[in-house]
Amino acid sequence: MTSRFPDAGAVGAGGFVRDDTPTPEVDRREAVMASLAGTVRELVDATIRTTVADDEVHRVRDELALLVDRLRAAQLPGPAGIRYNAEFRAWNWGNAVVGAANAIAPPLEVVHDASGCHADVVLGAAYEGPPGLVHGGVSAMLLDHIMGVTASAMRRTTFTGTLTMRYRRGTPLGPLRLEARIVREEGRKVFVVASISDAEGVTVEADGVFIQPAGTPAVDG
Ligand SMILES: CCCCCCCCCCCC(=O)SCCNC(=O)CCNC(=O)[C@H](O)C(C)(C)COP(=O)(O)OP(=O)(O)OC[C@H]1O[C@@H](n2cnc3c(N)ncnc32)[C@H](O)[C@@H]1OP(=O)(O)O
């Protein structure tokens, strides 16, 4: 088996970083950060939907500014990236779709199943495009991610090459299901189809070509 992991601290193929933080410590910190992000996510929703008076908005803003300063007391020099330890525990806490520390991420919880991947998610006011409907770019972002994870199949790195969307009808904010599966592979190219559905059926369909960049090994390759 070919290792895909570089030395600890080094940046490997695709920008993935080997990090020897023990899994229990990763799990502990992830839970702490997910707790913070969950409250910030509530803050985002509350900010969009609040109707309190201007003075109260200004007071809340001033208190929040102090909290931002406290978090900035110790910061990474850049984005969080994707890290792996020797047990293949991966963490990408800043990811736009699944990042545990990212309040902008819904976050999507991707489940691997017999045919590919699926995810159940509830999208609120922060993801609105047309009135009461999910923004088309948000739909594309979520599908891109679950399709990329499906193409990677936990054994190789793939990047989106081409992604085609078909918006069949508006996707309502609220509970949704995403599904993705591989339809065929040709060399380094993986062809994936996916959909978003509400209780009435499919709202968005997507097909994409995901490519394993030249020089990146599969775990079993
Ligand atoms: C917790 C951990 C989670 C980890 C999992 C995380 C999952 C994240 C999921 C999110 C996915 C993303 O958003 S990824 C981010 C968005 N995507 C990107 O930024 C990708 C930017 N583009 C690139 O890096 C590159 O162009 C690649 C990797 C796509 C291809 O480069 P390459 O490897 O040099 O490819 P190349 O040799 O030229 O071509 C190989 C074959 O692919 C074809 N090909 C090349 N480009 C394309 C293309 N855009 N669309 C279709 N097909 C293409 C060629 O014709 C060729 O076919 P043939 O001649 O062999 O037939």
Side-chain angles (χ1 to χ4, degrees):
M1 174 173 134
T2 305
S3 172
R4 62 183 164 161
F5 297 111
D7 294 337
V11 178
F16 295 72
V17 175
R18 165 74 183 271
D19 182 322
D20 281 336
T21 305
T23 297
E25 172 60 14
V26 175
D27 292 343
R28 186 200 60 76
R29 181 66 176 175
E30 183 170 281
V32 170
M33 296 311 296
S35 170
L36 173 62
T39 301
V40 177
R41 203 170 287 118
E42 284 290 310
L43 175 65
V44 170
D45 185 76
T47 299
I48 292 168
R49 297 166 58 202
T50 190
T51 59
V52 300
D54 294 355
D55 284 355
E56 177 67 351
V57 171
H58 290 143
R59 280 191 290 272
V60 170
R61 177 204 58 198
D62 291 346
E63 288 183 37
L64 287 173
L66 296 174
L67 297 178
V68 170
D69 287 346
R70 285 173 63 186
L71 292 175
R72 292 227 183 275
Q75 295 264 274
L76 295 171
I82 302 181
R83 292 173 173 264
Y84 291 92
N85 67 16
E87 296 176 308
F88 301 170
R89 170 66 161 92
W91 61 104
N92 51 348
W93 295 338
N95 183 278
V97 178
V98 297
N102 188 347
I104 292 171
L108 208 64
E109 293 184 14
V110 178
V111 178
H112 294 262
D113 58 34
S115 57
C117 291
H118 68 270
D120 293 304
V121 67
V122 179
L123 297 182
Y127 304 99
E128 185 175 50
L133 301 177
V134 178
H135 193 292
V138 170
S139 296
M141 180 174 73
L142 301 187
L143 284 167
D144 180 35
H145 188 91
I146 196 169
M147 294 167 81
V149 170
T150 300
S152 297
M154 305 291 276
R155 60 188 173 88
R156 60 192 166 198
T157 300
T158 60
F159 286 162
T160 318
T162 298
L163 184 62
T164 304
M165 314 293 301
R166 180 168 183 167
Y167 297 89
R168 294 165 61 105
R169 61 183 169 85
T171 301
L173 294 171
L176 298 166
R177 185 175 181 89
L178 288 83
E179 296 177 339
R181 63 185 170 86
I182 294 172
V183 288
R184 71 179 196 280
E185 301 186 26
E186 289 173 15
R188 289 188 284 119
K189 294 182 291 188
V190 185
F191 295 81
V192 181
V193 295
S195 63
I196 300 179
S197 303
D198 66 3
E200 310 303 319
V202 172
T203 62
V204 187
E205 293 171 323
D207 61 83
V209 186
F210 292 77
I211 299 163
Q212 185 180 352
T216 58
V219 171
D220 56 0

